[in-house]
C-alpha cells in the first residue's frame, strides 16, 4: 500500500528512494508487525478471555499436568498473528506482485479453516473440532488453487519443476503431478506446525527461524544477479515474498511475547495451520520445497512420530513412543516443558543453518 503510493514518486535519490528496496521494506514490515502485535495483544487476549470463559478444551489423554496448568487459557490467538501479518504485508509489500497475494490469501484461508476448527471445539467443549474429511478437504482445495495460481505466475520452464538443492543444474519436470506435490507440501506443513504446537512457544520460534531462511531465499531467488551467482533457479517476482516473510517474523515475535511460558494465550489451529501453510506456500513459490523439509525438520519429525506411532500401534498393539507427537514423549520421560521447548529451538536453529548452507553448495 505504501509502496504503491510512494514508489511512483520516488526519484533516484533521497529518503523516498528507500521504498524501492526490498530489504528496507522487509525490515519495516517486520517492525510494523511486531509493534501491531504488542499493541493489539492485550485487548485481543481480554476479548478472547471474555468469550471463552473456560478457555481451550484440554485433551484428557494428554500429559496430566496440562489439565492443571493450562486449563482456562484462551485459544484462537492466531487471529493476532494474522491481523498483524496482513496489515503489515498490505502496508509494505508491492501489491501488484501476484506471489504476495497467493501467499497472503492462502495463509488467511488456512487460518479460516483453523478458526472454524477452534470454534467447533469451544462450542462443543471437546477436542474434536471439524471432521477430518471436512478439514482436509478444505485444506487440499485451498492448496491446489494456490499451486495452480503459482504455476501461472512462474516462468514456463520452472512452473511444474522440482528443483534439487544439491544438484542445482537439474530439475525434475513433473507435469500435472507438481500440483499434487505442491498441494501435499502446503497442506502437510500446515498440519505439521499444528501438531508441533503443543507446548508454550514450541512452534513459534521454529516458524520464525524457517521464515527468516525463506525471506533470504526469496530475496536471492527473486534477484537474477544473486540467483545466477549462487546457481539458483531465478523466479521473478518472488523477491517480494521477503517482505511477507519478514512480516510473518514480526507477527510471531509479537505473539511470542504473550505465548512465552506460562502462556497467556494459545494460537490454536487458527494460527498453527496458517503459519505452516504460509511456509509451504513460500517454499513452493521459490522452488525450495526440499529445503523446507530440512529447515522445517522439527515439524517433519513431530509429524512422523505421530504417523509411526499410529501405524505401529495398529499393527502390534504396542507404542514406540510413550506418547505422540514427539514433544509429549519427552514430557512423559520427565523433562520439564522449558527444557523441551529450548532444546527443540536449538535443533531448529541448527536445521536453519543447514538450510542456509544449501544456498552455497554447488
Amino acid at each position: 500500500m505504501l509502496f504503491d503510493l510512494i514508489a511512483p514518486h520516488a526519484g533516484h535519490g533521497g529518503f523516498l528512494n528507500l521504498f524501492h528496496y526490498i530489504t528496507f521494506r522487509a525490515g519495516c514490515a517486520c517492525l510494523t508487525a511486531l509493534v501491531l502485535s504488542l499493541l493489539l495483544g492485550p485487548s485481543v487476549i481480554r476479548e478472547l478471555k471474555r468469550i471463552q470463559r473456560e478457555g481451550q478444551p484440554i485433551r484428557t489423554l494428554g500429559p496430566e499436568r496440562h489439565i492443571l496448568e493450562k486449563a482456562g487459557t484462551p485459544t484462537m490467538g492466531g487471529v493476532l498473528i494474522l491481523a498483524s501479518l496482513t496489515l503489515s504485508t498490505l502496508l509494505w509489500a508491492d501489491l501488484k506482485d501476484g506471489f504476495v497475494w497467493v501467499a497472503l490469501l492462502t495463509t488467511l484461508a488456512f487460518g479460516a479453516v483453523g478458526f472454524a476448527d477452534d470454534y467447533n471445539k469451544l462450542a462443543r467443549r471437546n477436542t474434536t473440532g471439524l471432521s477430518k474429511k471436512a478439514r482436509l478437504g478444505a485444506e487440499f482445495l485451498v492448496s491446489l488453487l494456490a499451486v495452480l495460481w503459482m504455476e501461472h505466475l512462474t516462468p514456463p520452464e520452472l512452473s511444474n519443476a522440482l528443483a534439487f538443492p544439491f544438484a542445482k543444474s537439474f530439475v525434475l519436470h513433473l507435469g500435472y503431478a507438481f500440483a499434487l506435490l505442491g498441494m501435499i507440501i502446503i497442506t502437510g506443513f500446515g498440519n505439521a506446525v499444528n501438531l508441533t504446537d503443543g507446548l508454550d512457544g514450541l512452534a513459534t520460534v521454529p516458524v520464525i527461524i524457517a521464515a527468516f531462511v525463506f525471506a533470504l531465499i526469496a530475496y536471492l531467488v527473486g534477484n537474477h544477479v544473486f540467483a545466477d551467482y549462487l546457481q539458483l533457479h531465478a523466479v521473478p517476482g518472488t523477491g517480494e515474498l521477503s517482505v511477507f516473510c519478514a512480516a510473518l517474523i514480526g507477527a510471531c515475535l509479537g505473539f511470542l511475547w504473550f505465548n512465552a511460558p506460562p502462556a497467556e494465550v494459545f494460537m490454536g489451529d487458527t494460527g498453527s495451520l496458517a503459519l505452516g501453510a504460509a511456509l509451504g506456500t513460500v517454499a513452493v513459490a521459490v522452488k525450495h520445497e526440499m529445503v523446507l523439509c530440512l529447515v522445517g525438520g522439527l515439524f517433519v519429525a513431530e509429524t512422523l512420530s505421530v504417523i509411526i506411532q499410529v501405524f505401529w500401534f495398529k499393527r502390534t498393539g504396542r507404542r514406540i513412543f510413550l506418547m505422540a507427537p514427539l514433544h509429549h514423549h519427552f514430557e512423559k520421560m520427565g523433562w520439564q516443558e522449558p527444557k523441551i521447548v529450548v532444546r527443540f529451538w536449538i535443533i531448529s536453529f541448527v536445521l536453519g543453518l543447514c538450510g542456509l548452507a544449501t544456498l552455497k553448495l554447488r
Side-chain angles (χ1 to χ4, degrees):
M1 187 179 296
L2 273 178
F3 176 84
D4 295 328
L5 290 173
I6 295 176
H9 305 289
H12 295 288
F15 172 75
L16 291 182
N17 194 47
L18 289 173
F19 287 85
H20 284 294
Y21 294 100
I22 290 175
T23 49
F24 173 76
R25 289 185 286 111
C28 291
C30 181
L31 184 60
T32 300
L34 172 60
V35 171
L36 285 172
S37 295
L38 295 176
L39 291 176
L40 296 174
S43 58
V44 169
I45 293 172
R46 279 196 302 270
E47 186 63 18
L48 290 174
K49 285 183 177 179
R50 185 187 67 81
I51 297 171
Q52 308 169 28
R53 299 196 179 279
E54 298 180 41
Q56 173 177 290
I58 305 298
R59 195 165 56 135
T60 55
L61 295 177
E64 296 80 5
R65 69 173 191 83
H66 283 207
I67 300 174
L68 298 174
E69 298 178 12
K70 300 184 183 296
T73 306
T75 187
M76 288 185 174
V79 297
L80 177 60
I81 299 175
L82 293 177
S84 303
L85 168 66
T86 301
L87 291 172
S88 183
T89 300
L90 293 178
L91 191 62
W92 292 106
D94 180 0
L95 300 184
K96 296 188 295 292
D97 188 286
F99 286 107
V100 171
W101 284 109
V102 68
L104 182 59
L105 293 178
T106 302
T107 301
L108 292 176
F110 268 74
V113 174
F115 185 91
D117 197 46
D118 285 334
Y119 180 83
N120 274 268
K121 291 176 184 176
L122 292 168
R124 299 173 182 174
R125 296 307 307 166
N126 61 37
T127 58
T128 304
L130 295 175
S131 70
K132 291 183 180 179
K133 288 184 178 179
R135 175 169 149 170
L136 285 175
E139 291 170 4
F140 278 126
L141 176 60
V142 172
S143 299
L144 177 60
L145 293 175
V147 175
L148 293 176
W149 190 355
M150 286 188 285
E151 284 186 330
H152 175 71
L153 296 171
T154 306
E157 64 273 17
L158 287 174
S159 62
N160 58 16
L162 178 65
F164 295 84
F166 303 110
K168 296 185 178 182
S169 61
F170 175 73
V171 293
L172 180 62
H173 292 277
L174 299 176
Y176 294 116
F178 181 78
L180 178 62
L181 174 65
M183 181 176 66
I184 291 172
I185 289 171
I186 295 173
T187 301
F189 262 86
N191 286 278
V193 175
N194 179 244
L195 288 172
T196 306
D197 182 38
L199 300 177
D200 298 347
L202 178 59
T204 312
V205 171
V207 168
I208 291 171
I209 293 170
F212 175 81
V213 172
F214 275 90
L216 179 59
I217 292 174
Y219 179 74
L220 297 173
V221 169
N223 186 301
H224 272 285
V225 175
F226 292 136
D228 289 343
Y229 173 72
L230 294 170
Q231 297 182 3
L232 302 174
H233 300 284
V235 185
T238 53
E240 285 295 322
L241 289 176
S242 297
V243 180
F244 173 80
C245 288
L248 185 64
I249 292 169
C252 287
L253 284 172
F255 177 77
L256 185 62
W257 183 269
F258 305 103
N259 187 237
E264 299 175 53
V265 64
F266 300 139
M267 72 171 70
D269 293 358
T270 306
S272 58
L273 286 178
L275 293 178
L279 294 177
T281 303
V282 173
V284 173
V286 299
K287 297 297 173 183
H288 277 67
E289 300 90 350
M290 291 188 177
V291 174
L292 176 62
C293 294
L294 173 61
V295 174
L298 177 65
F299 304 127
V300 175
E302 292 271 38
T303 304
L304 287 176
S305 71
V306 174
I307 294 173
I308 293 170
Q309 184 88 321
V310 172
F311 172 79
W312 193 251
F313 185 78
K314 287 184 176 180
R315 293 264 308 198
T316 67
R318 293 174 295 178
R319 293 178 173 84
I320 294 179
F321 304 102
L322 297 176
M323 188 176 180
L326 191 58
H327 55 267
H328 288 323
H329 170 77
F330 292 107
E331 278 192 289
K332 290 286 190 179
M333 287 178 60
W335 289 21
Q336 295 299 309
E337 180 172 344
K339 184 182 292 290
I340 299 170
V341 170
V342 172
R343 285 181 173 177
F344 276 38
W345 288 355
I346 294 171
I347 293 171
S348 294
F349 179 76
V350 173
L351 292 173
L353 292 177
C354 293
L356 290 175
T358 65
L359 296 176
K360 194 57 181 171
L361 292 176
R362 301 190 179 194

